Amino acid sequence: MSTPEFQGDPTPAEERIAKMVYEAMQADLAAQMQATAQLQAGLRDLQGGFEALAGKMAELERGGHGGGPRPNISPPEKYDGASRQLADQFISQVEAAAEFERFRDERQKILWAQSYLSG
């Protein structure tokens, strides 16, 4: 398909068509620029969300509990095995305190609890 060649001045109809095409192209370009700006803003929001999530994940990996100020839970009292009655109390204290700790695995959790045994 070849492009028609124009000779002389454009007719008024040709000028109107050219103006309409030009205005349509400008409107399309403006819409594309607005859509691009909205996408960029959305991407910035996503990036901020990912950075916040990465920060929370890093906090959890470091042993934080991940949600606001850490509750003031006292560590378990040392248990020396002298009293069966105190054993139940010690187990309750360990379970309560362990809820706000982060452990890599069960072995680390056991070693942590074991650190409160004496005798």
Side-chain angles (χ1 to χ4, degrees), residues 27-75:
D28 186 48
L29 178 60
Q32 288 180 7
M33 290 174 65
Q34 183 178 9
T36 299
Q38 290 173 341
L39 285 172
Q40 288 174 333
L43 287 173
R44 282 190 297 276
D45 289 346
L46 280 175
Q47 182 179 6
F50 284 133
E51 289 170 358
L53 182 59
K56 289 288 186 183
M57 289 174 65
E59 180 183 345
L60 289 172
E61 288 172 358
R62 288 189 306 269
H65 69 290
R70 184 183 174 106
N72 189 13
I73 302 293
S74 299

Side-chain angles (χ1 to χ4, degrees), residues 5 8 17 33 35-36 39 44 58 70 75 86 95 102-103 110:
E5 293 185 28
I17 292 171
M33 290 174 65
T36 299
L39 285 172
R44 282 190 297 276
R70 184 183 174 106
L86 291 176
E95 288 173 342
R102 295 288 180 241
F103 305 103
I110 291 167

Side-chain angles (χ1 to χ4, degrees), residues 3-12 14:
T3 305
E5 293 185 28
F6 294 100
Q7 295 179 352
D9 292 334
T11 65
E14 291 170 336

Side-chain angles (χ1 to χ4, degrees), residues 49-110:
F50 284 133
E51 289 170 358
L53 182 59
K56 289 288 186 183
M57 289 174 65
E59 180 183 345
L60 289 172
E61 288 172 358
R62 288 189 306 269
H65 69 290
R70 184 183 174 106
N72 189 13
I73 302 293
S74 299
E77 294 178 22
K78 293 281 185 177
Y79 176 67
D80 63 7
S83 165
R84 180 104 171 131
Q85 184 178 359
L86 291 176
D88 292 334
Q89 182 180 342
F90 173 74
I91 291 169
S92 294
Q93 290 175 354
V94 167
E95 288 173 342
E99 288 292 318
F100 298 98
E101 297 290 336
R102 295 288 180 241
F103 305 103
R104 286 189 310 268
D105 52 29
E106 285 298 307
R107 181 178 181 274
Q108 184 187 23
K109 186 176 182 178
I110 291 167

